[in-house]
Amino acid sequence: DGGITQSPKYLFRKEGQNVTLSCEQNLNHDAMYWYRQDPGQGLRLIYYSQIVNDFQKGDIAEGYSVSREKKESFPLTVTSAQKNPTAFYLCASSTQGASYEQYFGPGTRLTVT
Amino acid sequence: EDKVVQSPLSLVVHEGDTVTLNCSYEVTNFRSLLWYKQEKKAPTFLFMLTSSGIEKKSGRLSSILDKKELFSILNITATQTGDSAIYLCAVRGGATNKLIFGTGTLLAVQP
């Protein structure tokens, strides 16, 4: 079954701790994305990667870091520098091209107290 | 600044009603407009529109794009409780060809 998996589904952390969210895809997609979703604000792009070993900042990259060592994997680290980390995090992937859709994972709900 | 605006923000209807969701955009270098349905977790893809005036249809859902007036509508006829979800509109374009999302429309269909 092809798709995108994210783990864990729910994550709780204390303030000041770094936390890494997992995203894996077996769709053979080149591009992968991380979004954050807050109530009333839609999806905002954190980081994206169009090819292995390369990634770019999105609109709200501060306090986050990523790596893309393998085509299938694009983990996101929420660092202690992120001022308001509690949110729903969605990972997506897509093929390249001028018109293409993104496929989303099930998301991770992170709560930091 | 590129932006996508959806209206209404939320909507409550009864089963059997027809609804129209709106998406307007101001995005440079427009490539395509996408609609997604999000029911609790992952947004699932509904339609991708690139040309004006061509309706895309899937069952009770249909969508059309007007590139002159810079908007799209998503119609749902004979609504069912299973249509309750957040409907997201996104436009691909801008300087980096990324997806720019609207805030979504929360649709609640009551029995």
Side-chain angles (χ1 to χ4, degrees):
Chain A
D1 245 315
I4 303 175
T5 56
Q6 290 185 244
S7 60
K9 191 182 292 187
Y10 299 97
L11 191 54
F12 297 89
R13 279 292 183 271
K14 296 279 189 194
E15 202 173 297
Q17 293 179 333
N18 290 356
V19 59
T20 297
L21 282 58
S22 165
C23 177
E24 306 275 332
Q25 55 98 359
N26 60 4
L27 300 167
N28 199 33
H29 285 165
D30 289 312
M32 297 186 74
Y33 311 81
W34 274 105
Y35 293 92
R36 171 183 171 136
Q37 188 174 31
D38 296 282
Q41 294 201 48
L43 273 64
R44 292 183 290 166
L45 182 65
I46 305 172
Y47 267 98
Y48 64 103
S49 167
Q50 294 179 310
I51 197 166
V52 174
N53 291 323
D54 187 46
F55 49 82
Q56 285 80 40
K57 292 181 180 179
D59 301 315
I60 53 165
E62 186 175 345
Y64 300 97
S65 65
V66 293
S67 63
R68 186 89 188 274
E69 297 175 4
K70 297 187 300 181
K71 187 175 186 177
E72 303 79 20
S73 179
F74 191 41
L76 173 76
T77 296
V78 185
T79 75
S80 56
Q82 168 50 232
K83 301 261 185 288
N84 187 18
T86 294
F88 187 52
Y89 290 88
L90 283 162
C91 179
S93 72
S94 70
T95 59
Q96 297 283 25
S99 294
Y100 49 90
E101 65 193 77
Q102 290 182 8
Y103 295 85
F104 286 86
T108 292
R109 188 165 296 281
L110 172 65
T111 302
V112 176
T113 57
Chain B
E1 184 186 336
D2 295 324
K3 63 180 179 181
V4 176
V5 178
Q6 292 186 246
S7 64
L9 289 180
S10 63
L11 188 57
V12 181
V13 300
H14 288 97
E15 271 192 315
D17 288 349
T18 293
V19 299
T20 298
L21 309 183
N22 303 291
C23 176
S24 63
Y25 62 91
E26 292 177 27
V27 176
T28 56
N29 193 30
F30 174 91
R31 299 295 187 99
S32 57
L33 185 145
L34 291 82
W35 284 97
Y36 286 88
K37 177 183 181 182
Q38 185 178 24
E39 291 175 84
K40 289 207 194 289
K41 302 190 286 191
T44 53
F45 173 77
L46 294 174
F47 298 112
M48 180 163 62
L49 303 152
T50 55
S51 302
S52 269
I54 299 175
E55 185 183 54
K56 293 238 175 159
K57 201 167 167 62
S58 175
R60 297 176 293 103
L61 277 66
S62 64
S63 183
I64 197 160
L65 173 67
D66 186 328
K67 288 168 74 173
K68 184 180 175 189
E69 300 297 330
L70 307 183
F71 78 91
S72 172
I73 59 171
L74 175 69
N75 274 325
I76 309 175
T77 59
T79 51
Q80 302 170 356
T81 55
D83 294 326
S84 297
I86 297 173
Y87 290 84
L88 297 167
C89 173
V91 174
R92 181 175 306 289
T96 53
N97 201 29
K98 298 192 303 290
L99 278 183
I100 302 157
F101 281 85
T103 53
T105 292
L106 175 61
L107 174 65
V109 181
Q110 295 181 340

